Amino acid sequence: MATVTRSVFHPEVTGYEEVNITSNRMLTPPGKGYLALLAMSVTLVGMMVIAELHNIWYGLGMSGLTNPVGWGVYITTFVFWVGIGHAGTLISAILYLFRAAWRQSVYRFAEAMTVFAVLTAALFPIIHIGRPWFFYWLLPLPSQRQLWPNFRSPLLWDVFAVTTYLTVSSVFFFIGLIPDIAAARDSATNPTRKKVYTLLAMGWRGTDREWRHFTRAYLFLAALATPLVLSVHSVVSWDFAVSIVPGWHTTIFAPYFVAGAILSGVAMVITLMVPVGRIFRLEKFFTPVHYDRLSKLLLLTSCIVGYAYAMEYFMAYYSGELFERDVFYDRVTGDYWWAGWSMITFNAIIPQLIWMKKIRASQNSLFLISIFVNIGMWWERFVIIVPSLAHSYEPWKFMNYHLTWVEAFILLGSFGWFFMWFLLFLRYLPGLSIAEIKEVLPPPMRHPHAGDHLPQVNHTEELGNATPLPTGYMGLEERR
Amino acid sequence: MAGHSSSMPTRIPFRTLPKASGALLAGIAVALLLGLAAAAMTLLGGEGGAARFAQAFHFNWIFWSGTSMGMVMLTVALHLTNARWSWSLRRFALAGVAFLPVSFVLFAVDWLGAEHLYHHWLHPAPGDHVLEAKSGYLNLPFMIARDYVGLAILYGLAIWFAMLALRPDVYGAAQTDGQRRWYDRITRNFRGVPEEAVRSRELMTRVAVFLAFGYAILWGMLGIDLGMSMLPHWFSTMFPVIFFIDGFHAGMAMTALMVVVFRKRIGVDEFITRNQFHDLGKLIFAFAVFWMYINWSQYVVIWYGGLPHEQEWFVQRFHEPFGTLVRIAVGCIFVAPFLGLLTRPPKKTPAVLATFAVVILVGHWLERFLLTVPSLYESGHVEHLPLGLPEIGIALGFGALWLFCYTWFLSTFPVLPSPATLAAVDTGFMEIPGEGHAAHA
């Protein structure tokens, strides 16, 4: 029987043209479901604006922050969103360097997710400072005040880490988009769209020379973005770890936070991928291979996070120190036991289901697990921040934290803000990487076996006349 | 951008390391004798007596065992990540498995020095509540038991993994009696070449997953017992991670060195391209950076926290005479490879890559010394650096044993995988039923 060669990643994609058609179809006017989601997101953003205005007008006392819990939902949510922002760059940059070909169809929207997640995260330090119009005090700007930020404070390291990450990931995102925006430009019929795409495509024509420069730039940006994946959340972890609050002050925090960030980010990728795949009918591009690989990444990071949890508990015991032991014991038995157990169950236990092939193969169960992880990772940051502060050292200063409606609105609004940008992205920019998906498809050829003439890595010199061994070795020739 | 060409050679010769030459064997014998002599002289009171021997043996055991295990873990990682580029290099890493049984036996010697190595917690000062609180974990019977069980599990899995990797290749290929004995054992109940190739691949994946977990958990546990507990008030959640990454990185460097040294003698030179050296170099570079990252992450938290019981560890090590060694170790493991392997040509030039591998191995050897020995000395009261002939002599002895095991593996088992094994690797494309040509518009 005649056969055709197809990519294992996209067995149902017939050829290059289908990629362009699908990508362009995503840019056409969407259905009602899309508009409903967008309206919901905008409503949530409205709630956030109201709450924040309230916060500004009446002051930060509108939140539940007080002594000893001076960091609450705002910082929790900040860390949560910075964490989400890690998977995109991991998939787009690190897997690019690793030449993991399955990333091609997923990385574009994962990268978009990264940029918007970091944009969302950036809101929170500004909200948390209470007087947002003074946010520029965080920057080392020369001023007549002769006042410099404290460079020895990890909070300032954060400012640098997050802004660097935002810059590099945005540039990387944009550079990667250029050839695809050019494709969108070429097929755009709406004159306004055409103008905007023309501007954004920066005159891309797809010549050899342009591609050569493009691939170089892309490689270098990927190499630059790779250490940032590790550095950003490491610096965020040091916001906590360099202090001596028991529960914060532990050396494994940097890689533990990075693994947690990737876990939450991959979970968010799956959370977005399942509905996006269905709404935009991308089954041919988000194939079982992609879900399989992503779920394995989720499983791996979940195990690393589980290892870190276990190590923290073990070391709290091993330390023999009263305060260390107390705070970790309190996490699972104290007032916040429910949060502590949610974090352990959702992040380290439930993802273990992915070991089962059946679960990995089912989009619905993966979607469900990813939701659990999203929630669990928010709780993880909450558990690290709040109970540690509420229950450290001397019992006379133990006091719990109470969420207010202002914080709840801002938390919900952050999701609205994130989804709003994400939905707009899907509608206006190519959500599939047209150029890179084509790289994993077999090249279109007039004769199906023309590929056989491609240079092969071969070692065809004669290896003697010896008879081959049962396992196909060339046999035992005389050693030269 | 999609990746390397996935085409694999189909004509692969069966090649092993030729019988070890007289010079090599003589070298091994001399080194072993030197090691034994150094051990005997140290024990007889030459330089610090039994205590000195115990600490020298201890960190050397950690270094050579960790490196061998790290080499196996490199193969495991390459298998799990489906790293097709590494097809002709993997056996060079896998061969580290041959030292594990020896390491298991030598582990018994290490316990003979327990009195010297763990005296801080074996005989705690009266009224030390912290040590009392952790005596449930830090007591010798439990420690010996868990470490032996851990090693048995880990080494057992590693040997099983190696046997699975070799099984589809060695069937019917024995030339010498030595080979036949092993090949028959490995290929018991053989079911046919293609079936075994696929089955091996699948089973290896399963064993590899357990090994990956086992390595992180059990080798980390060994790190806590053999390294961290020597300074029993000190604790750091990062320490076990540093301990197992050390082994992995040293294993990588040793693999690169062995590839460069033996590839021509075995006659597999033509199957190892500059691109493969490049990739190996990138891995070594990346883990040099990662090593610095985890060490820095541990350091900055402790430095900034400023708690005396945590800083004790670094104070001990930063004071002379150990301070200089710390700088040398960081220079060897991170600074030199970072600057030297940053660009492309050094990674692609085998001799240069091997040189950096040696530098890294020296760095890791010093690092194992620094992780353990300074804990036994009172900071600021160390007159002579306890690193000299006994340590180097014992290292030579270990190295001789290691090289003997390693070359035995290479001369017994095929260094390149068979075409049957390679055929079980997926290529990124698949054939599906269809009409005529690929359906392009």
Side-chain angles (χ1 to χ4, degrees), chain B residues 107 111 143-151 221-222 225-226:
Chain B
F107 198 41
W111 291 110
M143 185 156 146
I144 294 177
R146 67 173 175 257
D147 288 355
Y148 260 113
V149 170
L151 267 196
M221 176 187 84
L222 275 172
D225 287 352
L226 305 183

Side-chain angles (χ1 to χ4, degrees), chain B residues 73-356:
Chain B
M73 291 316 297
L74 176 61
T75 334
V76 165
L78 294 171
H79 179 83
L80 281 180
T81 53
N82 233 335
R84 286 190 289 270
W85 65 271
S86 65
W87 71 276
S88 57
L89 304 177
R90 287 192 198 177
R91 295 279 154 86
F92 284 97
L94 187 64
V97 77
F99 183 71
L100 298 183
V102 178
S103 153
F104 194 78
V105 173
L106 290 178
F107 198 41
V109 180
D110 196 50
W111 291 110
L112 299 178
E115 193 61 33
H116 300 292
L117 299 171
Y118 311 117
H119 66 87
H120 285 311
W121 56 263
L122 281 173
H123 311 290
D128 189 333
H129 299 301
V130 172
L131 288 192
E132 271 171 32
K134 53 166 99 176
S135 62
Y137 193 76
L138 285 188
N139 62 75
L140 208 51
F142 182 34
M143 185 156 146
I144 294 177
R146 67 173 175 257
D147 288 355
Y148 260 113
V149 170
L151 267 196
I153 294 174
L154 213 48
Y155 287 3
L157 284 173
I159 291 168
W160 188 17
F161 180 80
M163 284 169 77
L164 284 172
L166 295 168
R167 189 171 155 96
D169 289 0
V170 299
Y171 179 69
Q175 300 304 306
T176 63
D177 286 342
Q179 283 179 339
R180 189 159 299 118
R181 212 169 30 244
W182 279 99
Y183 291 8
D184 287 349
R185 192 173 301 169
I186 290 175
T187 55
R188 205 168 286 161
N189 302 327
F190 204 75
R191 277 155 254 203
V193 173
E195 293 88 337
E196 286 291 345
V198 172
R199 180 174 167 272
S200 253
R201 198 184 136 73
E202 285 168 0
L203 259 178
M204 273 166 84
T205 306
R206 285 173 193 213
V207 178
V209 168
F210 281 101
L211 260 174
F213 280 90
Y215 185 65
I217 294 167
L218 299 173
W219 206 257
M221 176 187 84
L222 275 172
I224 294 170
D225 287 352
L226 305 183
M228 202 160 82
S229 84
M230 292 174 71
L231 190 64
H233 286 99
W234 186 73
F235 59 93
S236 160
T237 39
M238 185 72 102
F239 189 87
V241 179
I242 292 176
F243 195 80
F244 70 70
I245 293 296
D246 279 346
F248 193 56
H249 191 220
M252 240 173 232
M254 188 63 101
T255 304
L257 179 64
M258 291 299 121
V259 173
V260 176
V261 170
F262 285 115
R263 72 196 200 285
K264 286 195 177 134
R265 269 187 73 77
I266 302 171
V268 293
D269 198 17
E270 61 198 294
F271 293 92
I272 297 169
T273 62
R274 283 165 72 83
N275 280 338
Q276 284 172 298
F277 280 115
H278 187 200
D279 283 340
L280 202 52
K282 282 191 267 190
L283 262 184
I284 292 171
F285 174 85
F287 273 85
V289 178
F290 189 69
W291 177 86
M292 196 65 248
Y293 163 73
I294 51 180
N295 274 282
W296 169 256
S297 301
Q298 174 176 264
Y299 174 71
V300 76
V301 169
I302 289 173
W303 169 75
Y304 205 110
L307 298 174
H309 67 269
E310 289 186 347
Q311 297 202 320
E312 184 188 4
W313 170 268
F314 287 106
V315 169
Q316 273 185 336
R317 278 145 188 89
F318 289 178
H319 269 196
E320 292 307 334
F322 299 114
T324 313
L325 279 191
V326 171
R327 285 188 282 276
I328 295 175
V330 173
C332 288
I333 305 174
F334 171 68
V335 181
F338 182 82
L339 298 174
L341 293 177
L342 188 58
T343 53
R344 204 170 291 187
K347 284 183 285 219
K348 287 186 155 188
T349 315
V352 179
L353 185 63
T355 311
F356 279 105

Side-chain angles (χ1 to χ4, degrees), chain A residues 32-221:
Chain A
K32 280 183 193 148
Y34 174 91
L35 291 174
L37 283 174
L38 191 63
M40 227 159 76
S41 307
V42 174
T43 312
L44 287 174
V45 173
M47 282 164 62
M48 174 162 74
V49 170
I50 290 168
E52 174 57 7
L53 287 175
H54 197 81
N55 220 352
I56 291 172
W57 191 256
Y58 293 103
L60 208 55
M62 287 293 104
S63 70
L65 302 174
T66 178
N67 273 329
V69 185
W71 282 2
V73 162
Y74 296 151
I75 300 299
T76 300
T77 315
F78 162 72
V79 181
F80 173 77
W81 282 113
V82 176
I84 297 288
H86 276 60
T89 313
L90 176 96
I91 293 171
S92 60
I94 297 189
L95 294 185
Y96 172 74
L97 296 180
F98 281 168
R99 306 192 181 97
W102 63 270
R103 76 183 251 293
Q104 319 292 43
S105 69
V106 209
Y107 90 91
R108 171 63 47 72
F109 86 90
E111 227 178 344
M113 177 197 86
T114 286
V115 174
F116 303 137
V118 179
L119 276 179
T120 313
L123 295 175
F124 281 87
I126 295 174
I127 293 172
H128 184 79
I129 56 180
R131 291 178 290 171
W133 52 94
F134 285 133
F135 81 95
Y136 67 92
W137 283 13
L138 292 165
L139 309 173
L141 297 171
S143 73
Q144 78 285 3
R145 296 176 300 129
Q146 298 287 308
L147 197 67
W148 289 87
N150 180 6
F151 288 102
R152 289 173 68 174
S153 160
L155 303 184
L156 187 69
W157 308 345
D158 241 11
V159 173
F160 291 117
V162 175
T163 46
T164 311
Y165 187 58
L166 183 59
T167 314
V168 172
S169 55
S170 312
V171 170
F172 192 47
F173 175 54
F174 176 67
I175 298 280
L177 266 169
I178 290 175
D180 295 345
I181 293 178
R185 169 199 66 194
D186 296 344
S187 59
T189 45
N190 178 320
T192 323
R193 269 194 178 224
K194 193 154 194 120
K195 260 185 210 144
V196 175
Y197 288 147
T198 306
L199 201 70
L200 289 176
M202 301 176 87
W204 178 269
R205 286 166 303 152
T207 60
D208 282 358
R209 191 157 163 267
E210 282 171 354
W211 275 112
R212 202 169 63 242
H213 288 284
F214 173 82
T215 43
R216 281 316 271 172
Y218 199 79
L219 177 69
F220 280 120
L221 278 170

Side-chain angles (χ1 to χ4, degrees), chain B residues 391-402:
Chain B
E391 286 73 16
I392 295 170
I394 289 171
L396 273 179
F398 265 97
L401 282 177
W402 188 89

Side-chain angles (χ1 to χ4, degrees), chain A residues 202-263:
Chain A
M202 301 176 87
W204 178 269
R205 286 166 303 152
T207 60
D208 282 358
R209 191 157 163 267
E210 282 171 354
W211 275 112
R212 202 169 63 242
H213 288 284
F214 173 82
T215 43
R216 281 316 271 172
Y218 199 79
L219 177 69
F220 280 120
L221 278 170
L224 281 176
T226 295
L228 286 176
V229 176
L230 275 90
S231 74
V232 181
H233 231 56
S234 300
V235 171
V236 171
S237 83
W238 293 333
D239 290 348
F240 307 102
V242 298
S243 74
I244 53 168
V245 176
W248 289 11
H249 183 65
T250 164
T251 49
I252 206 173
F253 251 35
Y256 157 39
F257 265 51
V258 172
I262 295 169
L263 170 65

